[in-house]
């Protein structure tokens, strides 16, 4: 077998990036766009010692779980990796992905495949989109999405995962740029002005936010543009984000007000939130509510508990928890998000929450060691890289009766759970929640309980202190 050979493959599995996996003559082949159950013809692109990559030429016998992608750009675009897989099969794929990571990375060999909560209607679920602007080979202004693993822009203003207003807003901005010959930013020459446009919509409130990310501070005839944008029903906030750095990071840190307020509001469950351009807010509000409900249920609060919410963003989970806890402490690294979090507590008249700006791995040890703040329950919802070791170590020292781990990457989740379970905790429940249909991503919520505390799921704090005191006595005498 050699490069450029045409091979026949039966796809038996799918990898973590949604690629089909098949075997031939002892070689494992990875084939993008092939789905489990397909028989395909593919061209060998790259050969390593025991595995290789091949490109799908055609599907000779389609899998029962194959479906026709709704989006014409599905194969080129880097966004949806699973558009050729039926929605039910996607949920099964995600359940297995979580289970595999827990087994192979976490070492939890007995763990069952978790339930993954899916959507009834898995389209147009995203409340946020960031559209890059650029110029095509003919010199035309384009906006859309980056092709997989590249910065080539595929023109597309109406992504099927996004809201319908995206198209209207992008067309207004594009025609304004054409009228005044405002150039898109060029990543190579670092010239040009418009880098990205961020659009957010509050699904509950119907409020819209537009943030223009510019390689500069000013845009020609901005009043004309804003009055056109302001006419879109729901428009609430128009801002400029200044980003003059040579970077892949989309947003600049400075936000200039242009029209309306600097934020939009939305509601999840009974809580209303204010969201600024720089703040993290889950992109799928319908599923977020189910995710937070699951986290809240796992936290098992009775009203007497002290709870920490690490990586709290704008306080979304903190405020959910605060309704049922005695006291909640939230920690988040982005100052603007903490500003939002504080306003959100006020807005909902929730007074039993304190927010700290800083790194979870620094604030938690500091508050525990210097102020002795304890925890009955710790909720964590870290970014993809998971929790830093000092945060995990402090959690172990604090000995909460429960830890609820919300994760957007089940590989780092598995790594962190391994550490926590080697230090006295055990997995009680795992549920997946599909916040990102048609992509390979999935959120996972996991409940851990403290093995030392018996009965294991008791929330009775008297029990907790009796055991802790007994342990202290034992340590003194030994
Ligand atoms: N729980 C929130 C946010 C989760 S996303 C929600 O559901 O909306 C993860 C958050 O962690 C982001 O807001 C990010 O800014 C924050 N973050 C990243 N690294 C951090 C760190 N080291 N310490 C504290 N927060 C961090």
């Amino acid at each position: 077998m050699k490069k450029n050979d045409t091979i026949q493959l039966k796809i038996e599995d799918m990898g973590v990036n949604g690629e089909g996996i098949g075997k031939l003559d002892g070689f494992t082949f990875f084939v993008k766009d092939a789905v489990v159950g397909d028989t395909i013809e593919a061209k060998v692109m790259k050969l390593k010692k025991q595995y290789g990559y091949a490109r799908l030429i055609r599907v000779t016998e389609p899998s029962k779980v194959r479906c026709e992608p709704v989006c014409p750009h599905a194969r080129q675009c880097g966004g949806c990796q699973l558009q050729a897989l039926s929605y039910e099969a996607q949920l099964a794929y995600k359940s297995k992905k979580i289970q595999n990571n827990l087994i192979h990375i976490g070492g939890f060999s007995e763990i069952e495949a978790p339930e993954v909560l899916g959507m009834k209607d898995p389209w147009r679920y995203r409340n946020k989109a960031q559209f890059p602007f650029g110029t095509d080979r003919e010199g035309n202004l384009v906006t859309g999405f980056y092709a997989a693993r590249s910065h080539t822009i595929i023109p597309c203003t109406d992504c099927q995962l996004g809201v319908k207003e995206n198209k209207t807003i992008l067309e207004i901005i594009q025609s304004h740029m054409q009228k005044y010959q405002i150039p898109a930013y060029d990543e190579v020459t670092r010239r040009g002005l418009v880098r990205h446009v961020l659009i957010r919509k509050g699904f509950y409130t119907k409020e819209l936010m537009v943030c223009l990310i510019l390689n500069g501070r000013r845009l020609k005839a901005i009043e004309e543009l804003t009055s056109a944008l302001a006419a879109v029903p729901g428009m609430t906030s128009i801002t400029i984000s200044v980003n003059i750095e040579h970077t892949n990071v989309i947003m600049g840190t400075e936000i200039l007000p242009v029209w309306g307020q600097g934020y939009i509001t939305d509601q999840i469950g009974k809580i209303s939130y204010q969201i600024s351009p720089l703040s993290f807010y889950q992109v799928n509000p319908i599923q977020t509510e189910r995710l937070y409900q699951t986290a809240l249920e796992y936290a098992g609060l009775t009203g007497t508990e002290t709870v920490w919410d690490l990586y709290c963003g704008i306080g979304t989970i903190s405020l959910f928890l605060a309704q049922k806890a005695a006291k909640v402490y939230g920690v988040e690294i982005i100052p603007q998000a903490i500003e939002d979090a504080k306003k959100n507590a006020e807005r909902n008249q929730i007074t039993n929450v304190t927010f700290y700006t800083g790194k979870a791995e620094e604030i938690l040890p500091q508050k525990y060691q210097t102020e002795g703040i304890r925890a009955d329950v710790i909720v964590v919802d870290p970014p993809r890289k998971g929790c830093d070791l000092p945060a995990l170590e402090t959690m172990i020292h604090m000995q909460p009766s429960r830890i609820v781990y919300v994760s957007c990457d089940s590989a780092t989740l598995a790594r962190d759970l391994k550490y926590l379970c080697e230090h006295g905790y055990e997995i009680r429940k795992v549920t997946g929640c599909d916040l990102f249909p048609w992509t390979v991503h999935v959120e996972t919520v996991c409940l851990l309980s403290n093995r030392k505390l018996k009965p294991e799921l008791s929330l009775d704090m008297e029990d907790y202190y009796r055991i802790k005191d007994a342990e202290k006595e034992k340590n003194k005498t030994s």
Side-chain angles (χ1 to χ4, degrees), residues 129-133 143-144 146 151 153 170 173 185 187 193-198 211-215 241 243 247-251:
Q130 297 175 121
F131 293 88
F133 275 67
T143 182
Y146 288 137
H151 273 195
I153 298 171
L170 291 172
I173 296 170
Y185 178 68
E187 286 180 317
L193 186 63
V194 180
R195 299 174 72 123
H196 273 84
V197 169
L198 162 75
C211 178
L212 305 157
I213 297 113
L214 304 184
N215 176 37
S241 162
N243 185 356
T247 168
N248 272 342
V249 177
I250 296 178
M251 302 293 291

PDB file of all heavy atoms in Angstrom, residues 129-133 143-144 146 151 153 170 173 185 187 193-198 211-215 241 243 247-251:
ATOM      1  N   ALA A 129     -22.501  34.199  17.580  1.00  0.00           N
ATOM      2  CA  ALA A 129     -21.660  33.839  16.439  1.00  0.00           C
ATOM      3  C   ALA A 129     -20.623  34.920  16.231  1.00  0.00           C
ATOM      4  O   ALA A 129     -20.889  36.106  16.472  1.00  0.00           O
ATOM      5  CB  ALA A 129     -22.509  33.669  15.182  1.00  0.00           C
ATOM      6  N   GLN A 130     -19.434  34.524  15.821  1.00  0.00           N
ATOM      7  CA  GLN A 130     -18.377  35.483  15.519  1.00  0.00           C
ATOM      8  C   GLN A 130     -17.976  35.270  14.075  1.00  0.00           C
ATOM      9  O   GLN A 130     -17.407  34.240  13.733  1.00  0.00           O
ATOM     10  CB  GLN A 130     -17.190  35.250  16.450  1.00  0.00           C
ATOM     11  CG  GLN A 130     -17.544  35.486  17.906  1.00  0.00           C
ATOM     12  CD  GLN A 130     -16.420  35.134  18.860  1.00  0.00           C
ATOM     13  OE1 GLN A 130     -15.965  35.969  19.593  1.00  0.00           O
ATOM     14  NE2 GLN A 130     -15.977  33.901  18.842  1.00  0.00           N
ATOM     15  N   PHE A 131     -18.300  36.240  13.230  1.00  0.00           N
ATOM     16  CA  PHE A 131     -18.044  36.094  11.799  1.00  0.00           C
ATOM     17  C   PHE A 131     -16.761  36.830  11.415  1.00  0.00           C
ATOM     18  O   PHE A 131     -16.679  38.042  11.597  1.00  0.00           O
ATOM     19  CB  PHE A 131     -19.209  36.674  10.989  1.00  0.00           C
ATOM     20  CG  PHE A 131     -20.496  35.903  11.150  1.00  0.00           C
ATOM     21  CD1 PHE A 131     -21.369  36.204  12.182  1.00  0.00           C
ATOM     22  CD2 PHE A 131     -20.824  34.876  10.281  1.00  0.00           C
ATOM     23  CE1 PHE A 131     -22.554  35.501  12.343  1.00  0.00           C
ATOM     24  CE2 PHE A 131     -22.005  34.170  10.427  1.00  0.00           C
ATOM     25  CZ  PHE A 131     -22.875  34.482  11.465  1.00  0.00           C
ATOM     26  N   PRO A 132     -15.779  36.120  10.842  1.00  0.00           N
ATOM     27  CA  PRO A 132     -14.590  36.812  10.349  1.00  0.00           C
ATOM     28  C   PRO A 132     -14.897  37.534   9.044  1.00  0.00           C
ATOM     29  O   PRO A 132     -15.719  37.070   8.252  1.00  0.00           O
ATOM     30  CB  PRO A 132     -13.600  35.671  10.100  1.00  0.00           C
ATOM     31  CG  PRO A 132     -14.443  34.465   9.848  1.00  0.00           C
ATOM     32  CD  PRO A 132     -15.719  34.659  10.624  1.00  0.00           C
ATOM     33  N   PHE A 133     -14.266  38.676   8.831  1.00  0.00           N
ATOM     34  CA  PHE A 133     -14.358  39.404   7.565  1.00  0.00           C
ATOM     35  C   PHE A 133     -13.025  39.314   6.830  1.00  0.00           C
ATOM     36  O   PHE A 133     -11.976  39.290   7.454  1.00  0.00           O
ATOM     37  CB  PHE A 133     -14.716  40.883   7.809  1.00  0.00           C
ATOM     38  CG  PHE A 133     -16.192  41.105   7.947  1.00  0.00           C
ATOM     39  CD1 PHE A 133     -16.878  40.599   9.036  1.00  0.00           C
ATOM     40  CD2 PHE A 133     -16.901  41.809   6.983  1.00  0.00           C
ATOM     41  CE1 PHE A 133     -18.256  40.791   9.155  1.00  0.00           C
ATOM     42  CE2 PHE A 133     -18.269  42.015   7.099  1.00  0.00           C
ATOM     43  CZ  PHE A 133     -18.947  41.502   8.189  1.00  0.00           C
ATOM     44  N   THR A 143     -17.674  37.453   4.196  1.00  0.00           N
ATOM     45  CA  THR A 143     -17.788  37.081   5.605  1.00  0.00           C
ATOM     46  C   THR A 143     -18.450  35.708   5.667  1.00  0.00           C
ATOM     47  O   THR A 143     -19.180  35.325   4.767  1.00  0.00           O
ATOM     48  CB  THR A 143     -18.571  38.117   6.426  1.00  0.00           C
ATOM     49  OG1 THR A 143     -18.584  37.682   7.788  1.00  0.00           O
ATOM     50  CG2 THR A 143     -19.996  38.323   5.942  1.00  0.00           C
ATOM     51  N   GLY A 144     -18.165  34.975   6.709  1.00  0.00           N
ATOM     52  CA  GLY A 144     -18.712  33.619   6.820  1.00  0.00           C
ATOM     53  C   GLY A 144     -17.994  32.863   7.911  1.00  0.00           C
ATOM     54  O   GLY A 144     -17.910  33.346   9.034  1.00  0.00           O
ATOM     55  N   TYR A 146     -14.511  30.168   8.913  1.00  0.00           N
ATOM     56  CA  TYR A 146     -13.220  29.614   8.527  1.00  0.00           C
ATOM     57  C   TYR A 146     -13.401  28.156   8.101  1.00  0.00           C
ATOM     58  O   TYR A 146     -14.119  27.399   8.747  1.00  0.00           O
ATOM     59  CB  TYR A 146     -12.242  29.649   9.699  1.00  0.00           C
ATOM     60  CG  TYR A 146     -11.738  31.024  10.058  1.00  0.00           C
ATOM     61  CD1 TYR A 146     -11.651  31.422  11.388  1.00  0.00           C
ATOM     62  CD2 TYR A 146     -11.336  31.921   9.068  1.00  0.00           C
ATOM     63  CE1 TYR A 146     -11.173  32.678  11.728  1.00  0.00           C
ATOM     64  CE2 TYR A 146     -10.862  33.177   9.406  1.00  0.00           C
ATOM     65  CZ  TYR A 146     -10.783  33.553  10.735  1.00  0.00           C
ATOM     66  OH  TYR A 146     -10.311  34.796  11.069  1.00  0.00           O
ATOM     67  N   HIS A 151      -7.594  29.618   7.766  1.00  0.00           N
ATOM     68  CA  HIS A 151      -8.265  30.897   7.918  1.00  0.00           C
ATOM     69  C   HIS A 151      -8.860  31.381   6.596  1.00  0.00           C
ATOM     70  O   HIS A 151      -9.062  32.565   6.380  1.00  0.00           O
ATOM     71  CB  HIS A 151      -7.311  31.931   8.534  1.00  0.00           C
ATOM     72  CG  HIS A 151      -7.328  31.876  10.028  1.00  0.00           C
ATOM     73  ND1 HIS A 151      -6.818  32.862  10.825  1.00  0.00           N
ATOM     74  CD2 HIS A 151      -7.820  30.944  10.878  1.00  0.00           C
ATOM     75  CE1 HIS A 151      -6.995  32.526  12.102  1.00  0.00           C
ATOM     76  NE2 HIS A 151      -7.588  31.370  12.155  1.00  0.00           N
ATOM     77  N   ILE A 153     -11.888  32.030   4.392  1.00  0.00           N
ATOM     78  CA  ILE A 153     -13.283  32.279   4.759  1.00  0.00           C
ATOM     79  C   ILE A 153     -14.234  31.689   3.717  1.00  0.00           C
ATOM     80  O   ILE A 153     -14.122  31.975   2.530  1.00  0.00           O
ATOM     81  CB  ILE A 153     -13.552  33.793   4.927  1.00  0.00           C
ATOM     82  CG1 ILE A 153     -12.684  34.341   6.070  1.00  0.00           C
ATOM     83  CG2 ILE A 153     -15.025  34.059   5.185  1.00  0.00           C
ATOM     84  CD1 ILE A 153     -12.712  35.858   6.186  1.00  0.00           C
ATOM     85  N   LEU A 170     -25.386  41.001   9.090  1.00  0.00           N
ATOM     86  CA  LEU A 170     -24.163  40.934   8.286  1.00  0.00           C
ATOM     87  C   LEU A 170     -24.337  41.651   6.955  1.00  0.00           C
ATOM     88  O   LEU A 170     -23.424  42.323   6.472  1.00  0.00           O
ATOM     89  CB  LEU A 170     -23.759  39.478   8.056  1.00  0.00           C
ATOM     90  CG  LEU A 170     -23.276  38.747   9.315  1.00  0.00           C
ATOM     91  CD1 LEU A 170     -23.085  37.265   9.018  1.00  0.00           C
ATOM     92  CD2 LEU A 170     -21.984  39.350   9.858  1.00  0.00           C
ATOM     93  N   ILE A 173     -23.972  45.360   7.476  1.00  0.00           N
ATOM     94  CA  ILE A 173     -22.569  45.754   7.683  1.00  0.00           C
ATOM     95  C   ILE A 173     -21.781  45.653   6.379  1.00  0.00           C
ATOM     96  O   ILE A 173     -21.013  46.555   6.027  1.00  0.00           O
ATOM     97  CB  ILE A 173     -21.930  44.897   8.799  1.00  0.00           C
ATOM     98  CG1 ILE A 173     -22.641  45.168  10.129  1.00  0.00           C
ATOM     99  CG2 ILE A 173     -20.420  45.176   8.924  1.00  0.00           C
ATOM    100  CD1 ILE A 173     -22.286  44.236  11.254  1.00  0.00           C
ATOM    101  N   TYR A 185      -9.974  43.447   7.530  1.00  0.00           N
ATOM    102  CA  TYR A 185      -8.613  43.272   8.031  1.00  0.00           C
ATOM    103  C   TYR A 185      -7.932  42.127   7.274  1.00  0.00           C
ATOM    104  O   TYR A 185      -8.570  41.131   6.941  1.00  0.00           O
ATOM    105  CB  TYR A 185      -8.683  42.942   9.524  1.00  0.00           C
ATOM    106  CG  TYR A 185      -7.359  42.690  10.192  1.00  0.00           C
ATOM    107  CD1 TYR A 185      -6.433  43.717  10.356  1.00  0.00           C
ATOM    108  CD2 TYR A 185      -7.041  41.419  10.674  1.00  0.00           C
ATOM    109  CE1 TYR A 185      -5.224  43.485  10.991  1.00  0.00           C
ATOM    110  CE2 TYR A 185      -5.829  41.184  11.310  1.00  0.00           C
ATOM    111  CZ  TYR A 185      -4.921  42.224  11.460  1.00  0.00           C
ATOM    112  OH  TYR A 185      -3.733  41.987  12.085  1.00  0.00           O
ATOM    113  N   GLU A 187      -4.940  39.454   7.620  1.00  0.00           N
ATOM    114  CA  GLU A 187      -4.067  38.889   8.657  1.00  0.00           C
ATOM    115  C   GLU A 187      -2.594  38.887   8.264  1.00  0.00           C
ATOM    116  O   GLU A 187      -1.723  38.886   9.120  1.00  0.00           O
ATOM    117  CB  GLU A 187      -4.493  37.456   8.975  1.00  0.00           C
ATOM    118  CG  GLU A 187      -5.763  37.394   9.775  1.00  0.00           C
ATOM    119  CD  GLU A 187      -6.160  35.970  10.068  1.00  0.00           C
ATOM    120  OE1 GLU A 187      -6.066  35.113   9.151  1.00  0.00           O
ATOM    121  OE2 GLU A 187      -6.542  35.700  11.201  1.00  0.00           O
ATOM    122  N   LEU A 193      -9.461  47.129   8.315  1.00  0.00           N
ATOM    123  CA  LEU A 193     -10.094  47.563   9.559  1.00  0.00           C
ATOM    124  C   LEU A 193     -10.974  46.519  10.250  1.00  0.00           C
ATOM    125  O   LEU A 193     -10.794  46.222  11.427  1.00  0.00           O
ATOM    126  CB  LEU A 193     -10.917  48.831   9.262  1.00  0.00           C
ATOM    127  CG  LEU A 193     -11.532  49.512  10.474  1.00  0.00           C
ATOM    128  CD1 LEU A 193     -10.442  50.017  11.412  1.00  0.00           C
ATOM    129  CD2 LEU A 193     -12.431  50.659  10.050  1.00  0.00           C
ATOM    130  N   VAL A 194     -11.932  45.945   9.500  1.00  0.00           N
ATOM    131  CA  VAL A 194     -12.928  45.111  10.166  1.00  0.00           C
ATOM    132  C   VAL A 194     -12.423  43.669  10.279  1.00  0.00           C
ATOM    133  O   VAL A 194     -12.159  43.005   9.279  1.00  0.00           O
ATOM    134  CB  VAL A 194     -14.282  45.160   9.409  1.00  0.00           C
ATOM    135  CG1 VAL A 194     -15.325  44.288  10.101  1.00  0.00           C
ATOM    136  CG2 VAL A 194     -14.767  46.589   9.290  1.00  0.00           C
ATOM    137  N   ARG A 195     -12.257  43.198  11.501  1.00  0.00           N
ATOM    138  CA  ARG A 195     -11.715  41.851  11.724  1.00  0.00           C
ATOM    139  C   ARG A 195     -12.834  40.826  11.858  1.00  0.00           C
ATOM    140  O   ARG A 195     -12.856  39.817  11.168  1.00  0.00           O
ATOM    141  CB  ARG A 195     -10.865  41.836  12.998  1.00  0.00           C
ATOM    142  CG  ARG A 195      -9.669  42.760  12.960  1.00  0.00           C
ATOM    143  CD  ARG A 195      -8.966  42.805  14.302  1.00  0.00           C
ATOM    144  NE  ARG A 195      -8.242  41.593  14.587  1.00  0.00           N
ATOM    145  CZ  ARG A 195      -6.924  41.536  14.864  1.00  0.00           C
ATOM    146  NH1 ARG A 195      -6.191  42.638  14.912  1.00  0.00           N
ATOM    147  NH2 ARG A 195      -6.344  40.393  15.121  1.00  0.00           N
ATOM    148  N   HIS A 196     -13.733  41.090  12.786  1.00  0.00           N
ATOM    149  CA  HIS A 196     -14.819  40.153  13.059  1.00  0.00           C
ATOM    150  C   HIS A 196     -16.073  40.944  13.424  1.00  0.00           C
ATOM    151  O   HIS A 196     -15.984  42.111  13.801  1.00  0.00           O
ATOM    152  CB  HIS A 196     -14.481  39.271  14.274  1.00  0.00           C
ATOM    153  CG  HIS A 196     -13.704  38.046  13.960  1.00  0.00           C
ATOM    154  ND1 HIS A 196     -12.342  38.060  13.832  1.00  0.00           N
ATOM    155  CD2 HIS A 196     -14.088  36.749  13.777  1.00  0.00           C
ATOM    156  CE1 HIS A 196     -11.918  36.832  13.582  1.00  0.00           C
ATOM    157  NE2 HIS A 196     -12.947  36.011  13.530  1.00  0.00           N
ATOM    158  N   VAL A 197     -17.215  40.273  13.358  1.00  0.00           N
ATOM    159  CA  VAL A 197     -18.429  40.831  13.944  1.00  0.00           C
ATOM    160  C   VAL A 197     -18.997  39.777  14.886  1.00  0.00           C
ATOM    161  O   VAL A 197     -19.178  38.612  14.502  1.00  0.00           O
ATOM    162  CB  VAL A 197     -19.457  41.221  12.852  1.00  0.00           C
ATOM    163  CG1 VAL A 197     -20.803  41.552  13.490  1.00  0.00           C
ATOM    164  CG2 VAL A 197     -18.955  42.429  12.057  1.00  0.00           C
ATOM    165  N   LEU A 198     -19.210  40.208  16.125  1.00  0.00           N
ATOM    166  CA  LEU A 198     -19.817  39.320  17.127  1.00  0.00           C
ATOM    167  C   LEU A 198     -21.297  39.656  17.230  1.00  0.00           C
ATOM    168  O   LEU A 198     -21.656  40.824  17.367  1.00  0.00           O
ATOM    169  CB  LEU A 198     -19.140  39.555  18.487  1.00  0.00           C
ATOM    170  CG  LEU A 198     -19.897  39.055  19.733  1.00  0.00           C
ATOM    171  CD1 LEU A 198     -19.808  37.538  19.853  1.00  0.00           C
ATOM    172  CD2 LEU A 198     -19.356  39.697  20.994  1.00  0.00           C
ATOM    173  N   CYS A 211     -21.205  43.554  18.131  1.00  0.00           N
ATOM    174  CA  CYS A 211     -19.914  44.137  18.514  1.00  0.00           C
ATOM    175  C   CYS A 211     -18.979  44.017  17.306  1.00  0.00           C
ATOM    176  O   CYS A 211     -18.723  42.925  16.807  1.00  0.00           O
ATOM    177  CB  CYS A 211     -19.342  43.400  19.723  1.00  0.00           C
ATOM    178  SG  CYS A 211     -17.734  44.031  20.223  1.00  0.00           S
ATOM    179  N   LEU A 212     -18.517  45.202  16.824  1.00  0.00           N
ATOM    180  CA  LEU A 212     -17.610  45.221  15.662  1.00  0.00           C
ATOM    181  C   LEU A 212     -16.186  45.149  16.186  1.00  0.00           C
ATOM    182  O   LEU A 212     -15.774  46.022  16.968  1.00  0.00           O
ATOM    183  CB  LEU A 212     -17.790  46.521  14.880  1.00  0.00           C
ATOM    184  CG  LEU A 212     -19.219  46.835  14.413  1.00  0.00           C
ATOM    185  CD1 LEU A 212     -19.377  48.328  14.170  1.00  0.00           C
ATOM    186  CD2 LEU A 212     -19.539  46.053  13.144  1.00  0.00           C
ATOM    187  N   ILE A 213     -15.444  44.135  15.778  1.00  0.00           N
ATOM    188  CA  ILE A 213     -14.068  44.009  16.255  1.00  0.00           C
ATOM    189  C   ILE A 213     -13.161  44.628  15.194  1.00  0.00           C
ATOM    190  O   ILE A 213     -13.066  44.129  14.072  1.00  0.00           O
ATOM    191  CB  ILE A 213     -13.705  42.550  16.560  1.00  0.00           C
ATOM    192  CG1 ILE A 213     -14.610  42.049  17.700  1.00  0.00           C
ATOM    193  CG2 ILE A 213     -12.244  42.419  16.999  1.00  0.00           C
ATOM    194  CD1 ILE A 213     -15.557  41.020  17.305  1.00  0.00           C
ATOM    195  N   LEU A 214     -12.546  45.753  15.555  1.00  0.00           N
ATOM    196  CA  LEU A 214     -11.813  46.565  14.578  1.00  0.00           C
ATOM    197  C   LEU A 214     -10.322  46.618  14.889  1.00  0.00           C
ATOM    198  O   LEU A 214      -9.919  46.620  16.054  1.00  0.00           O
ATOM    199  CB  LEU A 214     -12.347  47.999  14.578  1.00  0.00           C
ATOM    200  CG  LEU A 214     -13.836  48.222  14.324  1.00  0.00           C
ATOM    201  CD1 LEU A 214     -14.120  49.726  14.278  1.00  0.00           C
ATOM    202  CD2 LEU A 214     -14.300  47.556  13.030  1.00  0.00           C
ATOM    203  N   ASN A 215      -9.552  46.734  13.810  1.00  0.00           N
ATOM    204  CA  ASN A 215      -8.131  47.023  13.916  1.00  0.00           C
ATOM    205  C   ASN A 215      -8.007  48.559  13.962  1.00  0.00           C
ATOM    206  O   ASN A 215      -7.426  49.164  13.073  1.00  0.00           O
ATOM    207  CB  ASN A 215      -7.423  46.431  12.686  1.00  0.00           C
ATOM    208  CG  ASN A 215      -5.945  46.752  12.645  1.00  0.00           C
ATOM    209  OD1 ASN A 215      -5.303  46.779  13.681  1.00  0.00           O
ATOM    210  ND2 ASN A 215      -5.415  47.005  11.447  1.00  0.00           N
ATOM    211  N   SER A 241     -15.066  46.698  19.587  1.00  0.00           N
ATOM    212  CA  SER A 241     -13.979  46.123  20.371  1.00  0.00           C
ATOM    213  C   SER A 241     -12.693  46.427  19.603  1.00  0.00           C
ATOM    214  O   SER A 241     -12.579  46.106  18.421  1.00  0.00           O
ATOM    215  CB  SER A 241     -14.191  44.612  20.507  1.00  0.00           C
ATOM    216  OG  SER A 241     -12.993  43.997  20.885  1.00  0.00           O
ATOM    217  N   ASN A 243      -9.071  45.831  18.598  1.00  0.00           N
ATOM    218  CA  ASN A 243      -8.052  44.769  18.624  1.00  0.00           C
ATOM    219  C   ASN A 243      -7.004  45.077  17.557  1.00  0.00           C
ATOM    220  O   ASN A 243      -7.189  44.776  16.378  1.00  0.00           O
ATOM    221  CB  ASN A 243      -8.692  43.397  18.384  1.00  0.00           C
ATOM    222  CG  ASN A 243      -7.685  42.264  18.534  1.00  0.00           C
ATOM    223  OD1 ASN A 243      -6.491  42.508  18.744  1.00  0.00           O
ATOM    224  ND2 ASN A 243      -8.159  41.026  18.421  1.00  0.00           N
ATOM    225  N   THR A 247      -2.786  38.756  16.317  1.00  0.00           N
ATOM    226  CA  THR A 247      -3.143  37.608  17.148  1.00  0.00           C
ATOM    227  C   THR A 247      -4.338  36.862  16.566  1.00  0.00           C
ATOM    228  O   THR A 247      -5.106  37.416  15.789  1.00  0.00           O
ATOM    229  CB  THR A 247      -3.497  38.092  18.579  1.00  0.00           C
ATOM    230  OG1 THR A 247      -4.111  37.030  19.306  1.00  0.00           O
ATOM    231  CG2 THR A 247      -4.495  39.242  18.561  1.00  0.00           C
ATOM    232  N   ASN A 248      -4.472  35.604  16.983  1.00  0.00           N
ATOM    233  CA  ASN A 248      -5.648  34.817  16.622  1.00  0.00           C
ATOM    234  C   ASN A 248      -6.808  35.063  17.572  1.00  0.00           C
ATOM    235  O   ASN A 248      -7.925  34.632  17.318  1.00  0.00           O
ATOM    236  CB  ASN A 248      -5.315  33.325  16.694  1.00  0.00           C
ATOM    237  CG  ASN A 248      -4.747  32.835  15.399  1.00  0.00           C
ATOM    238  OD1 ASN A 248      -4.898  33.482  14.356  1.00  0.00           O
ATOM    239  ND2 ASN A 248      -4.098  31.683  15.442  1.00  0.00           N
ATOM    240  N   VAL A 249      -6.519  35.708  18.698  1.00  0.00           N
ATOM    241  CA  VAL A 249      -7.580  36.000  19.658  1.00  0.00           C
ATOM    242  C   VAL A 249      -8.543  36.987  19.005  1.00  0.00           C
ATOM    243  O   VAL A 249      -8.113  37.994  18.443  1.00  0.00           O
ATOM    244  CB  VAL A 249      -6.988  36.595  20.962  1.00  0.00           C
ATOM    245  CG1 VAL A 249      -8.081  36.985  21.939  1.00  0.00           C
ATOM    246  CG2 VAL A 249      -6.015  35.610  21.580  1.00  0.00           C
ATOM    247  N   ILE A 250      -9.820  36.660  19.023  1.00  0.00           N
ATOM    248  CA  ILE A 250     -10.780  37.467  18.277  1.00  0.00           C
ATOM    249  C   ILE A 250     -11.019  38.828  18.932  1.00  0.00           C
ATOM    250  O   ILE A 250     -10.864  39.863  18.295  1.00  0.00           O
ATOM    251  CB  ILE A 250     -12.120  36.699  18.102  1.00  0.00           C
ATOM    252  CG1 ILE A 250     -11.867  35.437  17.252  1.00  0.00           C
ATOM    253  CG2 ILE A 250     -13.179  37.601  17.460  1.00  0.00           C
ATOM    254  CD1 ILE A 250     -13.081  34.581  17.043  1.00  0.00           C
ATOM    255  N   MET A 251     -11.378  38.815  20.204  1.00  0.00           N
ATOM    256  CA  MET A 251     -11.788  40.049  20.856  1.00  0.00           C
ATOM    257  C   MET A 251     -10.596  40.842  21.384  1.00  0.00           C
ATOM    258  O   MET A 251      -9.638  40.263  21.900  1.00  0.00           O
ATOM    259  CB  MET A 251     -12.704  39.733  22.045  1.00  0.00           C
ATOM    260  CG  MET A 251     -13.954  38.956  21.697  1.00  0.00           C
ATOM    261  SD  MET A 251     -15.126  39.851  20.677  1.00  0.00           S
ATOM    262  CE  MET A 251     -15.711  41.112  21.806  1.00  0.00           C
TER     263      MET A 251
END
